[in-house]
Amino acid sequence: RYISTFRPSVKREAEKNKAQWKTMGPAKVAVPSPKNFLQKHSKEPKLPARKKEQDSKKLPALSVPRRTDHPVMGIQSKKNFINTNAVAAITGLPKKPQPIYVDRRQGDKYLLETSGLVPKYIKKKDYGVTPKYVTRRNEEMKRAQKEYEASILEHLKKRAMKRLSDEERRSLLQGLKKNWEEVYREFQGLSVEIDTVPKKIYKEKLESQMKQLEHDIEVIEKHKVIYIANE
């Protein structure tokens, strides 16, 4: 069984301190002073110390002048504000009115720019341009498709597989349909009443052939690329 490596040291410590606990606790315990008794409300949370009254009397800095402040006197300007304003009004360009629209009979006006009626989006420089992440994703997909096709071709070459051309696939499909028509013609030529065992067996055989041909035709029509094993 498992034995701890610290067992001797633990036994030694227990034997060393065993005599101190013979009286249901340590031999010498500090006796609390009778002056440190529990007082009323001593365990309740205390509020922070109150600030001095001098700090509360200080007023915050104002951005406006006080009533006792006097303005700076004696500053004069030789600028003719009337002529300056007149020249600015004559030479300045007229302010273009903001385009607005009215949608009620009461004549309430609203700004046209923020209404959503202005075709701002189609006037963007990159409007109609394919985003870069889309082109990058398309290129990655094309590259992955090419790599997949190359790996498939390599795998098929290793397995000596041959890909059917479009002409061979078309001729194979026509041959299967022709065989189905022949089997179907034989199926139509069966008698209405099938009361013998050979007739039942022959009918089931024709039905299985037709189902197999229909399955093969469906597979060839569904898949454009077909590989066959070289014999």
Side-chain angles (χ1 to χ4, degrees):
R1 62 189 180 86
Y2 172 76
I3 298 176
S4 176
T5 56
F6 302 101
R7 185 176 180 180
S9 61
V10 172
K11 291 178 68 176
R12 197 180 308 112
E13 291 291 334
E15 293 293 336
K16 181 180 179 182
N17 301 326
K18 189 174 182 180
Q20 298 183 5
W21 305 93
K22 285 185 177 181
T23 58
M24 298 297 290
K28 296 181 180 180
V29 180
V31 180
S33 175
K35 296 181 180 180
N36 299 331
F37 57 89
L38 183 63
Q39 298 181 358
K40 189 177 182 181
H41 305 295
S42 60
K43 292 188 176 182
E44 294 181 359
K46 296 181 180 180
L47 297 175
R50 190 174 180 180
K51 294 183 179 181
K52 296 181 180 180
E53 296 182 357
Q54 295 179 358
D55 298 339
S56 61
K57 288 182 180 180
K58 291 182 179 180
L59 297 176
L62 301 177
S63 59
V64 295
R66 302 178 182 274
R67 292 194 303 171
T68 57
D69 295 343
H70 298 283
V72 180
M73 307 297 291
I75 298 177
Q76 297 181 0
S77 176
K78 296 181 181 180
K79 183 178 180 180
N80 192 344
F81 291 94
I82 298 176
N83 294 340
T84 304
N85 294 339
V87 171
I90 293 170
T91 58
L93 297 175
K95 186 178 180 181
K96 293 183 179 180
Q98 290 184 337
I100 58 175
Y101 73 98
V102 180
D103 60 349
R104 293 184 180 181
R105 292 183 298 174
Q106 288 79 6
D108 297 336
K109 299 179 181 180
Y110 303 96
L111 293 177
L112 184 63
E113 185 177 0
T114 58
S115 64
L117 301 175
V118 181
K120 297 171 109 178
Y121 188 76
I122 61 175
K123 294 182 180 179
K124 294 174 65 177
K125 294 181 180 180
D126 56 349
Y127 178 76
V129 180
T130 306
K132 294 182 179 179
Y133 74 94
V134 176
T135 55
R136 184 169 61 252
R137 185 182 301 171
N138 293 337
E139 291 176 357
E140 291 177 356
M141 290 175 62
K142 290 180 180 178
R143 184 169 61 255
Q145 183 66 22
K146 290 181 180 179
E147 292 177 357
Y148 175 74
E149 291 178 356
S151 63
I152 290 293
L153 290 175
E154 186 68 23
H155 181 66
L156 294 175
K157 287 179 181 179
K158 290 180 180 179
R159 296 183 58 186
M161 300 292 286
K162 177 185 176 183
R163 177 177 175 178
L164 288 180
S165 61
D166 295 339
E167 187 65 27
E168 292 175 347
R169 176 178 169 276
R170 198 178 301 111
S171 62
L172 179 60
L173 190 61
Q174 291 177 358
L176 289 174
K177 290 181 179 179
K178 186 177 180 181
N179 293 341
W180 183 87
E181 291 175 357
E182 293 177 357
V183 177
Y184 182 70
R185 191 181 301 109
E186 293 181 6
F187 183 79
Q188 291 291 330
L190 293 175
S191 59
V192 179
E193 186 177 358
I194 301 174
D195 51 355
T196 60
V197 176
K199 289 182 179 180
K200 292 181 180 179
I201 295 174
Y202 185 60
K203 180 184 177 183
E204 292 177 357
K205 179 182 177 182
L206 293 178
E207 287 178 350
S208 63
Q209 288 180 1
M210 290 172 61
K211 288 182 180 179
Q212 185 63 35
L213 289 170
E214 288 174 358
H215 178 265
D216 296 342
I217 291 171
E218 184 180 358
V219 170
I220 293 176
E221 287 181 345
K222 183 178 180 181
H223 300 88
K224 303 296 183 182
V225 180
I226 299 174
Y227 293 92
I228 59 174
N230 292 332
E231 297 181 357

